[in-house]
Amino acid sequence: MKYKMIIAACVFVVVSGLGCLTIIPHAKTTMGDVTENETASEANTENMSRCENVIADFREGGGIQPFLNTLGTGYAEYDIHQESEYSDLAIANVTNYVNVRTEPNTASDIVGKIYDGAVAQILSVTEEEDGDWFQVISGNVEGYIKAEFFLYGDAAVAVIDDHVTRYATVLADRLNVRSQPDIESSRVGYINNGERVQILEDQGEWLKVQYTKSITGFVSAEYVTVSEEFVYAKTLEEEAQELAARRALQERQRQSEAQAAENTAVTITATPPDTSYSTNEELRQEIINYAMQFLGNKYVHGGQSLAGGTDCSGFTSLIYAEFGYSLGRTPASQLSSAGRGIDYSEAQPGDIICYGSSGKCTHVAIYIGGGQIIHSANSRKGVIIGQADYDTILGVRNVID
């Protein structure tokens, strides 16, 4: 009997060394297997060579189960822990939603709702006459749902990626969004520090993101952190709050639509520029005054109207056209041929600031003085005032003198 006890000890050492198995000995395994005048420590020391033989037998015998079977029923029960992070995951698989209840029956109170595709952690399984019920926790909701309404186990693991939304949060002060996964490609816009966008595709060094509702682009993965979010169950209180918020939004939309209908005959107009200036300084200030009338207007890629919306180079060229100057229609042409090039330290109100990288101009703005610019920034922000040094300055063009 002494040998059986030592074998059990050796098995525990071997298995623990593997890092993935735990033996649960049968209750009848006791210290009674050791003779009266020996302690377990003495028995272990005396039979260390036997343990070495046991380890060798275990490795050569095809694993834990054949080996334990040789020890008898007292050692044949064990638990193998090979858990993945999704081992207790469940994903709701319903048409719309299913109620979460306080007890494993349909007569108990409802504490929340879990919608199709929402994820939950399985806490326990209860067998009832009408089938198995899961005790789950999802978000702020904990309760019972019939197991038939979930995907779980391998089925859940197989589709988990379809039910997670990944976001990129910007770490840099401002991060460019480009049309292609290439630093030489044109810039679609930019995202400020702390803002986040949904990731559509991970391409390694570049992430394809949903920049606006209708525009996608690429950002450098080096300057963002990636997070994942699941949909969770909702308490009845959370459900009521969301319903109230949706109703309030619908009412605001209804009022906005009604107001828009009343104003359909109204067109956006701007005061024509004053041409009675006697110095270049007055001309420069009038250019700024005229441009400021369009602050807040929308950005329209390729747009040909200041009132209806245009892009960055359209904004600068159309502003200058009102004062009799003809500028190129692209950022690159304005950098190369608009007026004369000067250093940023010499910039005056009305000069054009050109931005980009590797010598390629992708954006232009009008300097308004005090280290600030006015420009048609992007489709998310429209015409805004910003800091002149927000991005890499390739050049400054003096068009006036």
Side-chain angles (χ1 to χ4, degrees), residues 226-243:
V226 177
S227 59
E228 297 183 344
E229 293 185 9
F230 291 107
V231 177
Y232 296 102
K234 301 171 185 176
T235 65
L236 297 181
E237 292 77 10
E238 290 169 337
E239 183 90 355
Q241 291 171 1
E242 289 191 7
L243 178 59

mmCIF file with all atom_site columns, all heavy atoms in Angstrom, residues 226-243:
data_model
loop_
_atom_site.group_PDB
_atom_site.id
_atom_site.type_symbol
_atom_site.label_atom_id
_atom_site.label_alt_id
_atom_site.label_comp_id
_atom_site.label_asym_id
_atom_site.label_entity_id
_atom_site.label_seq_id
_atom_site.pdbx_PDB_ins_code
_atom_site.Cartn_x
_atom_site.Cartn_y
_atom_site.Cartn_z
_atom_site.occupancy
_atom_site.B_iso_or_equiv
_atom_site.pdbx_formal_charge
_atom_site.auth_seq_id
_atom_site.auth_comp_id
_atom_site.auth_asym_id
_atom_site.auth_atom_id
_atom_site.pdbx_PDB_model_num
ATOM 1   N N   . VAL A 1 226 ? -6.008  49.920 -29.783 1.00 0.00 ? 226 VAL A N   1
ATOM 2   C CA  . VAL A 1 226 ? -7.161  49.180 -30.299 1.00 0.00 ? 226 VAL A CA  1
ATOM 3   C C   . VAL A 1 226 ? -7.938  48.579 -29.129 1.00 0.00 ? 226 VAL A C   1
ATOM 4   O O   . VAL A 1 226 ? -7.348  47.979 -28.223 1.00 0.00 ? 226 VAL A O   1
ATOM 5   C CB  . VAL A 1 226 ? -6.718  48.071 -31.263 1.00 0.00 ? 226 VAL A CB  1
ATOM 6   C CG1 . VAL A 1 226 ? -7.919  47.250 -31.731 1.00 0.00 ? 226 VAL A CG1 1
ATOM 7   C CG2 . VAL A 1 226 ? -5.988  48.667 -32.461 1.00 0.00 ? 226 VAL A CG2 1
ATOM 8   N N   . SER A 1 227 ? -9.224  48.756 -29.146 1.00 0.00 ? 227 SER A N   1
ATOM 9   C CA  . SER A 1 227 ? -10.083 48.174 -28.117 1.00 0.00 ? 227 SER A CA  1
ATOM 10  C C   . SER A 1 227 ? -11.213 47.405 -28.778 1.00 0.00 ? 227 SER A C   1
ATOM 11  O O   . SER A 1 227 ? -11.559 47.660 -29.936 1.00 0.00 ? 227 SER A O   1
ATOM 12  C CB  . SER A 1 227 ? -10.658 49.261 -27.202 1.00 0.00 ? 227 SER A CB  1
ATOM 13  O OG  . SER A 1 227 ? -11.411 50.203 -27.951 1.00 0.00 ? 227 SER A OG  1
ATOM 14  N N   . GLU A 1 228 ? -11.757 46.453 -28.037 1.00 0.00 ? 228 GLU A N   1
ATOM 15  C CA  . GLU A 1 228 ? -12.858 45.638 -28.533 1.00 0.00 ? 228 GLU A CA  1
ATOM 16  C C   . GLU A 1 228 ? -14.074 45.820 -27.636 1.00 0.00 ? 228 GLU A C   1
ATOM 17  O O   . GLU A 1 228 ? -13.941 45.919 -26.416 1.00 0.00 ? 228 GLU A O   1
ATOM 18  C CB  . GLU A 1 228 ? -12.467 44.164 -28.578 1.00 0.00 ? 228 GLU A CB  1
ATOM 19  C CG  . GLU A 1 228 ? -11.326 43.850 -29.523 1.00 0.00 ? 228 GLU A CG  1
ATOM 20  C CD  . GLU A 1 228 ? -11.018 42.365 -29.575 1.00 0.00 ? 228 GLU A CD  1
ATOM 21  O OE1 . GLU A 1 228 ? -11.484 41.647 -28.664 1.00 0.00 ? 228 GLU A OE1 1
ATOM 22  O OE2 . GLU A 1 228 ? -10.334 41.931 -30.503 1.00 0.00 ? 228 GLU A OE2 1
ATOM 23  N N   . GLU A 1 229 ? -15.227 45.836 -28.231 1.00 0.00 ? 229 GLU A N   1
ATOM 24  C CA  . GLU A 1 229 ? -16.460 45.982 -27.468 1.00 0.00 ? 229 GLU A CA  1
ATOM 25  C C   . GLU A 1 229 ? -17.486 44.973 -27.946 1.00 0.00 ? 229 GLU A C   1
ATOM 26  O O   . GLU A 1 229 ? -17.619 44.734 -29.153 1.00 0.00 ? 229 GLU A O   1
ATOM 27  C CB  . GLU A 1 229 ? -17.025 47.396 -27.597 1.00 0.00 ? 229 GLU A CB  1
ATOM 28  C CG  . GLU A 1 229 ? -16.168 48.462 -26.941 1.00 0.00 ? 229 GLU A CG  1
ATOM 29  C CD  . GLU A 1 229 ? -16.806 49.830 -26.986 1.00 0.00 ? 229 GLU A CD  1
ATOM 30  O OE1 . GLU A 1 229 ? -18.002 49.906 -27.380 1.00 0.00 ? 229 GLU A OE1 1
ATOM 31  O OE2 . GLU A 1 229 ? -16.146 50.806 -26.633 1.00 0.00 ? 229 GLU A OE2 1
ATOM 32  N N   . PHE A 1 230 ? -18.207 44.397 -26.997 1.00 0.00 ? 230 PHE A N   1
ATOM 33  C CA  . PHE A 1 230 ? -19.312 43.497 -27.303 1.00 0.00 ? 230 PHE A CA  1
ATOM 34  C C   . PHE A 1 230 ? -20.627 44.192 -26.980 1.00 0.00 ? 230 PHE A C   1
ATOM 35  O O   . PHE A 1 230 ? -20.670 45.192 -26.266 1.00 0.00 ? 230 PHE A O   1
ATOM 36  C CB  . PHE A 1 230 ? -19.215 42.218 -26.470 1.00 0.00 ? 230 PHE A CB  1
ATOM 37  C CG  . PHE A 1 230 ? -18.069 41.324 -26.844 1.00 0.00 ? 230 PHE A CG  1
ATOM 38  C CD1 . PHE A 1 230 ? -16.965 41.208 -26.027 1.00 0.00 ? 230 PHE A CD1 1
ATOM 39  C CD2 . PHE A 1 230 ? -18.095 40.577 -28.008 1.00 0.00 ? 230 PHE A CD2 1
ATOM 40  C CE1 . PHE A 1 230 ? -15.902 40.390 -26.364 1.00 0.00 ? 230 PHE A CE1 1
ATOM 41  C CE2 . PHE A 1 230 ? -17.050 39.748 -28.359 1.00 0.00 ? 230 PHE A CE2 1
ATOM 42  C CZ  . PHE A 1 230 ? -15.951 39.662 -27.528 1.00 0.00 ? 230 PHE A CZ  1
ATOM 43  N N   . VAL A 1 231 ? -21.708 43.631 -27.488 1.00 0.00 ? 231 VAL A N   1
ATOM 44  C CA  . VAL A 1 231 ? -23.051 44.056 -27.104 1.00 0.00 ? 231 VAL A CA  1
ATOM 45  C C   . VAL A 1 231 ? -23.469 43.206 -25.912 1.00 0.00 ? 231 VAL A C   1
ATOM 46  O O   . VAL A 1 231 ? -23.262 41.987 -25.901 1.00 0.00 ? 231 VAL A O   1
ATOM 47  C CB  . VAL A 1 231 ? -24.050 43.868 -28.260 1.00 0.00 ? 231 VAL A CB  1
ATOM 48  C CG1 . VAL A 1 231 ? -25.460 44.235 -27.819 1.00 0.00 ? 231 VAL A CG1 1
ATOM 49  C CG2 . VAL A 1 231 ? -23.625 44.694 -29.461 1.00 0.00 ? 231 VAL A CG2 1
ATOM 50  N N   . TYR A 1 232 ? -24.041 43.835 -24.896 1.00 0.00 ? 232 TYR A N   1
ATOM 51  C CA  . TYR A 1 232 ? -24.436 43.127 -23.687 1.00 0.00 ? 232 TYR A CA  1
ATOM 52  C C   . TYR A 1 232 ? -25.942 43.259 -23.435 1.00 0.00 ? 232 TYR A C   1
ATOM 53  O O   . TYR A 1 232 ? -26.619 44.064 -24.071 1.00 0.00 ? 232 TYR A O   1
ATOM 54  C CB  . TYR A 1 232 ? -23.664 43.669 -22.482 1.00 0.00 ? 232 TYR A CB  1
ATOM 55  C CG  . TYR A 1 232 ? -22.177 43.436 -22.549 1.00 0.00 ? 232 TYR A CG  1
ATOM 56  C CD1 . TYR A 1 232 ? -21.303 44.457 -22.912 1.00 0.00 ? 232 TYR A CD1 1
ATOM 57  C CD2 . TYR A 1 232 ? -21.643 42.184 -22.271 1.00 0.00 ? 232 TYR A CD2 1
ATOM 58  C CE1 . TYR A 1 232 ? -19.941 44.241 -22.999 1.00 0.00 ? 232 TYR A CE1 1
ATOM 59  C CE2 . TYR A 1 232 ? -20.275 41.958 -22.347 1.00 0.00 ? 232 TYR A CE2 1
ATOM 60  C CZ  . TYR A 1 232 ? -19.438 42.989 -22.706 1.00 0.00 ? 232 TYR A CZ  1
ATOM 61  O OH  . TYR A 1 232 ? -18.081 42.771 -22.790 1.00 0.00 ? 232 TYR A OH  1
ATOM 62  N N   . ALA A 1 233 ? -26.420 42.464 -22.500 1.00 0.00 ? 233 ALA A N   1
ATOM 63  C CA  . ALA A 1 233 ? -27.826 42.553 -22.105 1.00 0.00 ? 233 ALA A CA  1
ATOM 64  C C   . ALA A 1 233 ? -28.100 43.908 -21.448 1.00 0.00 ? 233 ALA A C   1
ATOM 65  O O   . ALA A 1 233 ? -27.173 44.598 -21.002 1.00 0.00 ? 233 ALA A O   1
ATOM 66  C CB  . ALA A 1 233 ? -28.162 41.417 -21.139 1.00 0.00 ? 233 ALA A CB  1
ATOM 67  N N   . LYS A 1 234 ? -29.367 44.264 -21.363 1.00 0.00 ? 234 LYS A N   1
ATOM 68  C CA  . LYS A 1 234 ? -29.756 45.546 -20.783 1.00 0.00 ? 234 LYS A CA  1
ATOM 69  C C   . LYS A 1 234 ? -30.745 45.324 -19.646 1.00 0.00 ? 234 LYS A C   1
ATOM 70  O O   . LYS A 1 234 ? -31.667 44.503 -19.766 1.00 0.00 ? 234 LYS A O   1
ATOM 71  C CB  . LYS A 1 234 ? -30.399 46.438 -21.851 1.00 0.00 ? 234 LYS A CB  1
ATOM 72  C CG  . LYS A 1 234 ? -29.485 46.733 -23.033 1.00 0.00 ? 234 LYS A CG  1
ATOM 73  C CD  . LYS A 1 234 ? -30.230 47.434 -24.149 1.00 0.00 ? 234 LYS A CD  1
ATOM 74  C CE  . LYS A 1 234 ? -29.335 47.624 -25.367 1.00 0.00 ? 234 LYS A CE  1
ATOM 75  N NZ  . LYS A 1 234 ? -30.072 48.228 -26.500 1.00 0.00 ? 234 LYS A NZ  1
ATOM 76  N N   . THR A 1 235 ? -30.536 46.068 -18.578 1.00 0.00 ? 235 THR A N   1
ATOM 77  C CA  . THR A 1 235 ? -31.507 46.024 -17.492 1.00 0.00 ? 235 THR A CA  1
ATOM 78  C C   . THR A 1 235 ? -32.770 46.740 -17.955 1.00 0.00 ? 235 THR A C   1
ATOM 79  O O   . THR A 1 235 ? -32.764 47.477 -18.950 1.00 0.00 ? 235 THR A O   1
ATOM 80  C CB  . THR A 1 235 ? -30.972 46.710 -16.233 1.00 0.00 ? 235 THR A CB  1
ATOM 81  O OG1 . THR A 1 235 ? -30.792 48.121 -16.507 1.00 0.00 ? 235 THR A OG1 1
ATOM 82  C CG2 . THR A 1 235 ? -29.632 46.109 -15.799 1.00 0.00 ? 235 THR A CG2 1
ATOM 83  N N   . LEU A 1 236 ? -33.857 46.551 -17.217 1.00 0.00 ? 236 LEU A N   1
ATOM 84  C CA  . LEU A 1 236 ? -35.095 47.234 -17.582 1.00 0.00 ? 236 LEU A CA  1
ATOM 85  C C   . LEU A 1 236 ? -34.924 48.746 -17.487 1.00 0.00 ? 236 LEU A C   1
ATOM 86  O O   . LEU A 1 236 ? -35.496 49.499 -18.289 1.00 0.00 ? 236 LEU A O   1
ATOM 87  C CB  . LEU A 1 236 ? -36.228 46.764 -16.661 1.00 0.00 ? 236 LEU A CB  1
ATOM 88  C CG  . LEU A 1 236 ? -36.585 45.272 -16.753 1.00 0.00 ? 236 LEU A CG  1
ATOM 89  C CD1 . LEU A 1 236 ? -37.743 44.948 -15.819 1.00 0.00 ? 236 LEU A CD1 1
ATOM 90  C CD2 . LEU A 1 236 ? -36.939 44.887 -18.195 1.00 0.00 ? 236 LEU A CD2 1
ATOM 91  N N   . GLU A 1 237 ? -34.119 49.202 -16.523 1.00 0.00 ? 237 GLU A N   1
ATOM 92  C CA  . GLU A 1 237 ? -33.870 50.633 -16.374 1.00 0.00 ? 237 GLU A CA  1
ATOM 93  C C   . GLU A 1 237 ? -33.085 51.177 -17.563 1.00 0.00 ? 237 GLU A C   1
ATOM 94  O O   . GLU A 1 237 ? -33.391 52.251 -18.100 1.00 0.00 ? 237 GLU A O   1
ATOM 95  C CB  . GLU A 1 237 ? -33.107 50.913 -15.067 1.00 0.00 ? 237 GLU A CB  1
ATOM 96  C CG  . GLU A 1 237 ? -33.890 50.649 -13.788 1.00 0.00 ? 237 GLU A CG  1
ATOM 97  C CD  . GLU A 1 237 ? -33.995 49.167 -13.460 1.00 0.00 ? 237 GLU A CD  1
ATOM 98  O OE1 . GLU A 1 237 ? -33.289 48.350 -14.122 1.00 0.00 ? 237 GLU A OE1 1
ATOM 99  O OE2 . GLU A 1 237 ? -34.781 48.817 -12.564 1.00 0.00 ? 237 GLU A OE2 1
ATOM 100 N N   . GLU A 1 238 ? -32.056 50.428 -17.995 1.00 0.00 ? 238 GLU A N   1
ATOM 101 C CA  . GLU A 1 238 ? -31.274 50.846 -19.157 1.00 0.00 ? 238 GLU A CA  1
ATOM 102 C C   . GLU A 1 238 ? -32.129 50.864 -20.416 1.00 0.00 ? 238 GLU A C   1
ATOM 103 O O   . GLU A 1 238 ? -32.004 51.759 -21.259 1.00 0.00 ? 238 GLU A O   1
ATOM 104 C CB  . GLU A 1 238 ? -30.081 49.905 -19.348 1.00 0.00 ? 238 GLU A CB  1
ATOM 105 C CG  . GLU A 1 238 ? -29.011 50.047 -18.265 1.00 0.00 ? 238 GLU A CG  1
ATOM 106 C CD  . GLU A 1 238 ? -27.976 48.944 -18.322 1.00 0.00 ? 238 GLU A CD  1
ATOM 107 O OE1 . GLU A 1 238 ? -28.280 47.862 -18.875 1.00 0.00 ? 238 GLU A OE1 1
ATOM 108 O OE2 . GLU A 1 238 ? -26.870 49.145 -17.800 1.00 0.00 ? 238 GLU A OE2 1
ATOM 109 N N   . GLU A 1 239 ? -33.009 49.879 -20.525 1.00 0.00 ? 239 GLU A N   1
ATOM 110 C CA  . GLU A 1 239 ? -33.917 49.822 -21.672 1.00 0.00 ? 239 GLU A CA  1
ATOM 111 C C   . GLU A 1 239 ? -34.820 51.047 -21.709 1.00 0.00 ? 239 GLU A C   1
ATOM 112 O O   . GLU A 1 239 ? -35.036 51.663 -22.758 1.00 0.00 ? 239 GLU A O   1
ATOM 113 C CB  . GLU A 1 239 ? -34.761 48.549 -21.588 1.00 0.00 ? 239 GLU A CB  1
ATOM 114 C CG  . GLU A 1 239 ? -35.685 48.329 -22.759 1.00 0.00 ? 239 GLU A CG  1
ATOM 115 C CD  . GLU A 1 239 ? -35.031 47.541 -23.878 1.00 0.00 ? 239 GLU A CD  1
ATOM 116 O OE1 . GLU A 1 239 ? -33.839 47.245 -23.783 1.00 0.00 ? 239 GLU A OE1 1
ATOM 117 O OE2 . GLU A 1 239 ? -35.745 47.237 -24.836 1.00 0.00 ? 239 GLU A OE2 1
ATOM 118 N N   . ALA A 1 240 ? -35.347 51.450 -20.545 1.00 0.00 ? 240 ALA A N   1
ATOM 119 C CA  . ALA A 1 240 ? -36.237 52.611 -20.467 1.00 0.00 ? 240 ALA A CA  1
ATOM 120 C C   . ALA A 1 240 ? -35.484 53.897 -20.803 1.00 0.00 ? 240 ALA A C   1
ATOM 121 O O   . ALA A 1 240 ? -36.012 54.779 -21.501 1.00 0.00 ? 240 ALA A O   1
ATOM 122 C CB  . ALA A 1 240 ? -36.844 52.700 -19.070 1.00 0.00 ? 240 ALA A CB  1
ATOM 123 N N   . GLN A 1 241 ? -34.250 54.017 -20.329 1.00 0.00 ? 241 GLN A N   1
ATOM 124 C CA  . GLN A 1 241 ? -33.455 55.211 -20.614 1.00 0.00 ? 241 GLN A CA  1
ATOM 125 C C   . GLN A 1 241 ? -33.151 55.330 -22.100 1.00 0.00 ? 241 GLN A C   1
ATOM 126 O O   . GLN A 1 241 ? -33.236 56.421 -22.677 1.00 0.00 ? 241 GLN A O   1
ATOM 127 C CB  . GLN A 1 241 ? -32.160 55.166 -19.808 1.00 0.00 ? 241 GLN A CB  1
ATOM 128 C CG  . GLN A 1 241 ? -32.360 55.339 -18.307 1.00 0.00 ? 241 GLN A CG  1
ATOM 129 C CD  . GLN A 1 241 ? -31.092 55.063 -17.519 1.00 0.00 ? 241 GLN A CD  1
ATOM 130 O OE1 . GLN A 1 241 ? -30.047 54.749 -18.082 1.00 0.00 ? 241 GLN A OE1 1
ATOM 131 N NE2 . GLN A 1 241 ? -31.180 55.172 -16.207 1.00 0.00 ? 241 GLN A NE2 1
ATOM 132 N N   . GLU A 1 242 ? -32.810 54.215 -22.728 1.00 0.00 ? 242 GLU A N   1
ATOM 133 C CA  . GLU A 1 242 ? -32.520 54.240 -24.166 1.00 0.00 ? 242 GLU A CA  1
ATOM 134 C C   . GLU A 1 242 ? -33.766 54.580 -24.972 1.00 0.00 ? 242 GLU A C   1
ATOM 135 O O   . GLU A 1 242 ? -33.694 55.296 -25.974 1.00 0.00 ? 242 GLU A O   1
ATOM 136 C CB  . GLU A 1 242 ? -31.944 52.904 -24.603 1.00 0.00 ? 242 GLU A CB  1
ATOM 137 C CG  . GLU A 1 242 ? -30.535 52.649 -24.095 1.00 0.00 ? 242 GLU A CG  1
ATOM 138 C CD  . GLU A 1 242 ? -29.895 51.445 -24.749 1.00 0.00 ? 242 GLU A CD  1
ATOM 139 O OE1 . GLU A 1 242 ? -30.499 50.888 -25.693 1.00 0.00 ? 242 GLU A OE1 1
ATOM 140 O OE2 . GLU A 1 242 ? -28.799 51.058 -24.322 1.00 0.00 ? 242 GLU A OE2 1
ATOM 141 N N   . LEU A 1 243 ? -34.904 54.050 -24.546 1.00 0.00 ? 243 LEU A N   1
ATOM 142 C CA  . LEU A 1 243 ? -36.158 54.347 -25.244 1.00 0.00 ? 243 LEU A CA  1
ATOM 143 C C   . LEU A 1 243 ? -36.477 55.832 -25.154 1.00 0.00 ? 243 LEU A C   1
ATOM 144 O O   . LEU A 1 243 ? -36.869 56.456 -26.149 1.00 0.00 ? 243 LEU A O   1
ATOM 145 C CB  . LEU A 1 243 ? -37.294 53.520 -24.644 1.00 0.00 ? 243 LEU A CB  1
ATOM 146 C CG  . LEU A 1 243 ? -38.684 53.749 -25.244 1.00 0.00 ? 243 LEU A CG  1
ATOM 147 C CD1 . LEU A 1 243 ? -38.683 53.435 -26.744 1.00 0.00 ? 243 LEU A CD1 1
ATOM 148 C CD2 . LEU A 1 243 ? -39.726 52.903 -24.521 1.00 0.00 ? 243 LEU A CD2 1
#
